[in-house]
Amino acid sequence: MNHNPSTSAFFSATEPAAFEVVNEQGKSNVVLVCDHASNRVPACLNKLGLSDSHLADHIGWDPGAAAVARLLAKNLDAPLILSSYSRLVIDCNRPIASSESIPEQSAGIMIPGNQNLSAYERDDRIQNLFIPYHAAIDALLDTRLLSNPQHPALFLSIHSFTPFLFNQQRPWHIGVSHKNDDRFAKNLYSALAQQGDIIVGFNEPYPIEDAFDFSIPTHGETRGLSSAMIEIRQDGLTTQTGIARWAERITQAYRTIEVEY
Ligand SMILES: [Zn+2]
């Protein structure tokens, strides 16, 4: 970790920007984000000292979440912003003051490239990854709200979660969480639960908390947008068929409640 921000570029010429915008002009009321879309690590950080298998595991990203989010963007004609780099480089859904922002370990795995970082090294990741991603979300929401202030806007983040935590099997197939404003999440939860053959968590497997979440509190709540976070269990997302099925379930659920907004 001898990267020096003053003398070298953070990204190489062939690496993607910090974020990707899909279907920017989408007509839907809902804006989608995927904070943990990718397990890519900038080349300058040498895979953070991790093996490819550790980076491919859930500690590096939310497997399947980006694929579902892209299908939702298409099905709903919604704009989508995805982070292009691993949560282990800097977690775009954690406040930068959180100890989990640049984690020194995750799920018992020590992250060699995150040990004893200097203020410069931390700031490099904040300036090159975290800030551009959130600035892109801000800009998209600004543009949509400015162009039509009366137009309602919903904010939905897409995540995936591990089937087991501490050797305990998690019962939910999917979960919907909210923070202060529960309208959108309650409606989505009910519409998913009415599908009948799945276990839907409400504020499970994770509630949204200011200390551990950034996107919904910052972009949704502070703007007064009805917001929700969806978490899909990763064992349902291991095949293209599974990914398409979950995208279709969420699409159907959203369409049944869309009229409310
Ligand atoms: Zn996530």
Side-chain angles (χ1 to χ4, degrees):
M1 282 319 101
N2 292 318
H3 176 69
N4 182 340
S6 64
T7 59
S8 62
F10 189 75
F11 300 120
S12 74
T14 57
E15 290 183 301
F19 61 88
E20 179 186 351
V21 184
V22 173
N23 196 22
E24 189 169 1
Q25 307 295 331
K27 298 285 189 290
S28 173
N29 286 348
V30 71
V31 170
L32 304 167
V33 298
C34 194
D35 301 322
H36 301 144
S38 173
N39 63 350
R40 178 185 278 269
V41 175
C44 69
L45 299 178
N46 301 314
K47 296 185 183 177
L48 298 171
L50 292 168
S51 66
D52 287 341
S53 65
H54 276 146
L55 282 175
D57 197 10
H58 69 91
I59 65 168
W61 60 328
D62 284 356
V68 171
R70 289 178 193 278
L71 286 174
L72 285 176
K74 188 166 172 244
N75 292 351
L76 302 175
D77 190 19
L80 161 66
I81 299 189
L82 309 100
S83 169
S84 302
Y85 289 88
S86 172
R87 66 191 301 170
L88 296 179
V89 181
I90 187 165
D91 192 325
C92 284
N93 193 36
R94 296 284 182 276
I96 54 175
S98 164
S99 62
E100 295 183 5
S101 167
I102 301 177
E104 295 191 350
Q105 66 87 33
S106 180
I109 307 296
M110 197 267 283
I111 318 297
N114 288 351
Q115 307 298 311
N116 305 312
L117 294 190
S118 70
Y120 284 119
E121 288 169 323
R122 301 187 78 84
D123 196 49
D124 232 7
R125 300 187 194 184
I126 294 168
Q127 299 298 333
N128 287 292
L129 297 171
F130 185 89
I131 287 177
Y133 173 69
H134 289 293
I137 297 172
D138 261 335
L140 181 78
L141 291 171
D142 281 348
T143 302
R144 288 169 65 86
L145 294 170
L146 270 176
S147 67
N148 189 352
Q150 307 305 320
H151 199 245
L154 303 166
F155 190 76
L156 180 62
S157 67
I158 307 294
H159 294 262
S160 69
F161 67 98
T162 54
F164 289 88
L165 189 68
F166 305 123
N167 291 325
Q168 291 275 17
Q169 185 155 22
R170 293 157 130 181
W172 319 279
H173 298 100
I174 188 169
V176 185
S177 301
H178 67 83
K179 195 162 174 289
N180 299 330
D181 180 347
D182 63 3
R183 289 170 297 163
F184 184 29
K186 272 187 173 162
N187 286 340
L188 257 186
Y189 166 82
S190 299
L192 283 163
Q194 279 168 19
Q195 294 179 3
D197 54 346
I198 49 174
I199 300 172
V200 185
F202 191 61
N203 291 321
E204 300 279 8
Y206 300 109
I208 299 172
E209 300 173 47
D210 283 339
F212 295 104
D213 290 275
F214 189 84
S215 288
I216 299 266
T218 303
H219 299 295
E221 298 280 340
T222 59
R223 285 177 182 266
L225 307 179
S226 255
S227 310
M229 174 173 79
I230 279 184
E231 292 266 4
I232 308 160
R233 206 171 69 195
Q234 288 161 6
D235 55 349
L237 301 176
T238 57
T239 64
Q240 286 306 314
T241 307
I243 285 164
R245 195 175 292 145
W246 277 109
E248 190 55 34
R249 280 185 181 279
I250 298 165
T251 299
Q252 292 305 323
Y254 181 79
R255 287 200 173 124
T256 65
I257 65 168
E258 195 172 16
V259 65
E260 309 258 345
Y261 299 99

